[in-house]
Amino acid sequence: MAPKVAVLDDYQNISPRHFEHLTSRVEFSYFPDTLNPRLADQQQQLIERLRPFDIIISQRERTPFSKDTLSALPNLKLLLTTGTRNLAIDSQYCAERGIPVGGTQTRPAGLNSTVQHTWALILNAARHVARDDAAIKRGEWQGSLGMTLAGKTLGLLGLGKLGAQVGRIAVQGFGLEVIAWSTNLTQEKADEQAKAMGLPAGSFRAVSDKLAFFRAADVVSVHSVLSERSRGIVGRDELAAMKQTALLVNTSRGPLVDEAALLETLNSGAIAGAALDVFEPEPLPADSPWRTTAWGTDGRSEVLLTPHTGYADEQIHGWYQEVADNLERWLNGQEMTVRLN
């Protein structure tokens, strides 16, 4: 019998064209509706769904695969994912089971897609683009004044590759002051990142006190890796420290920000607004308060939402092609181009 392949979380049905040449060798099934294994009932549904399959193709971190989930999949022989890493997969457990985990190696050329999207959100939120577009189409005109970014302070929560790229644009493009905070960030490390971006030392100022960082920033942009330690790293105390005129932007991972605390903050109008590309769970349920609240009215903050599209650009076609190549190589008994365990 042909191996059975489950393709998960391909919201836009992009992958089938890349797998078409393999349909005579394997049997594909597609599951675009994401199940959240952090919820016990959905984890059981996920296990029941995937138990018959020999191969799983995962779209980055949309569906986590913990040891508990993987141990309930006795037929699993291969797990493929898009991206050069996937922290949502217990790769070590897969290695112990003899299950190879394959990834992709292509990185976007030039400016990272998430960096572009971060700036799209910052500018949109600062200048009220989406709100004013809707107002004009309703027959209205000007409603409020936009934020001038020059001379303001951008706070980067995380100064890795993506945070540093966002910071470079802030300095060179908009004349923003840039401060940064992360658990182990020093000024020496911040200077190294500035130099890697072609900027002089001191362009990124490391702030050692977390609440002082939040108090100083006019825009806070989140660029941290999600782990159990960083979950909720932006909580009530951090949000309470922000200026009433400040914006929060998150294109990293939803759970980095305490959702209940953020909803409370925005419902009370305690900050000017938030621009969010990431959530937990994803996709957002139809009855999510992010969808159903009348943001920007009755004293509530402005809220700008996008459906995790900072990651989703045309490069996904390239990643699915690499996944197809890895699958074909595995079927032929060859080494995959990228092995993650």
Side-chain angles (χ1 to χ4, degrees):
M1 292 180 64
K4 295 178 182 292
V5 181
V7 182
L8 306 185
D9 308 323
D10 179 10
Y11 303 149
Q12 298 185 55
N13 197 36
I14 292 170
S15 62
R17 72 196 76 173
H18 299 288
F19 301 144
E20 189 173 358
H21 65 292
L22 297 173
T23 53
S24 64
R25 301 183 65 183
V26 292
E27 179 184 333
F28 289 96
S29 296
Y30 294 87
F31 301 98
D33 55 318
T34 299
L35 293 171
N36 181 7
R38 287 186 171 275
L39 304 175
D41 60 332
Q42 291 195 33
Q43 182 186 33
Q44 192 55 43
Q45 291 178 53
L46 181 66
I47 290 168
E48 292 300 321
R49 169 182 287 178
L50 298 180
R51 187 172 283 141
F53 289 93
D54 307 285
I55 301 164
I56 295 171
I57 296 176
S58 169
Q59 174 53 258
R60 197 58 187 273
E61 297 170 1
R62 291 176 181 174
T63 296
F65 283 95
S66 65
K67 179 179 178 179
D68 287 345
T69 299
L70 291 164
S71 63
L73 303 176
N75 297 317
L76 185 61
K77 299 178 181 66
L78 175 66
L79 183 52
L80 298 171
T81 182
T82 56
T84 56
R85 66 177 180 178
N86 190 328
L87 299 180
I89 294 174
D90 189 335
S91 296
Q92 182 177 345
Y93 174 74
C94 287
E96 293 170 2
R97 279 258 315 264
I99 301 168
V101 180
T104 57
Q105 60 187 352
T106 301
R107 296 177 182 273
L111 197 64
N112 187 283
S113 170
T114 302
V115 175
Q116 295 179 60
H117 200 74
T118 298
W119 274 105
L121 292 184
I122 292 173
L123 293 171
N124 199 316
R127 307 302 300 185
H128 310 302
V129 174
R131 186 189 67 188
D132 288 347
D133 170 78
I136 288 174
K137 291 169 180 174
R138 290 194 302 268
E140 301 169 14
W141 197 234
Q142 294 184 7
S144 63
L145 301 177
M147 176 192 289
T148 297
L149 293 175
K152 297 289 198 308
T153 298
L154 171 66
L156 299 172
L157 189 75
L159 193 61
K161 179 181 65 176
L162 300 186
Q165 287 190 54
V166 171
R168 177 174 61 82
I169 295 169
V171 172
Q172 294 181 331
F174 296 99
L176 281 151
E177 299 293 323
V178 177
I179 61 175
W181 179 91
S182 64
T183 307
N184 299 309
L185 183 66
T186 64
Q187 187 59 49
E188 181 181 11
K189 291 179 180 177
D191 288 343
E192 289 174 1
Q193 287 292 72
K195 290 176 183 177
M197 293 293 110
L199 300 172
S203 296
F204 304 152
R205 180 166 60 87
V207 178
S208 57
D209 183 87
K210 187 180 180 186
L211 292 184
F213 164 85
F214 277 89
R215 283 192 288 268
D218 296 292
V219 179
V220 173
S221 189
V222 181
H223 299 284
S224 295
V225 174
L226 178 62
S227 66
E228 288 307 315
R229 187 177 69 170
S230 64
R231 184 174 286 269
I233 198 169
V234 181
R236 277 189 170 78
D237 290 345
E238 290 76 21
L239 293 168
M242 292 178 68
K243 301 175 184 179
Q244 190 171 7
T245 55
L247 300 171
L248 177 73
V249 179
N250 188 5
T251 56
S252 186
R253 291 293 183 272
L256 291 165
V257 182
D258 181 329
E259 182 181 64
L262 181 57
L263 284 166
E264 181 181 305
T265 298
L266 296 170
N267 271 300
S268 67
I271 63 175
L276 309 174
D277 186 47
V278 287
F279 310 89
E280 188 179 41
E282 293 180 2
L284 280 174
D287 60 352
S288 166
W290 295 117
R291 293 182 185 266
T292 59
T293 304
W295 298 113
T297 65
D298 299 324
R300 300 182 191 90
S301 306
E302 295 281 348
V303 173
L304 177 67
L305 307 175
T306 54
H308 205 151
T309 46
Y311 167 74
D313 67 4
E314 63 265 24
Q315 182 56 53
I316 286 181
H317 283 286
W319 284 320
Y320 273 131
Q321 187 56 55
E322 285 190 70
V323 169
D325 292 344
N326 268 335
L327 175 55
E328 187 169 19
R329 293 175 70 87
W330 183 83
L331 291 169
N332 293 338
Q334 300 171 317
E335 285 294 320
M336 293 185 289
T337 55
V338 177
R339 181 80 179 260
L340 301 184
N341 66 345

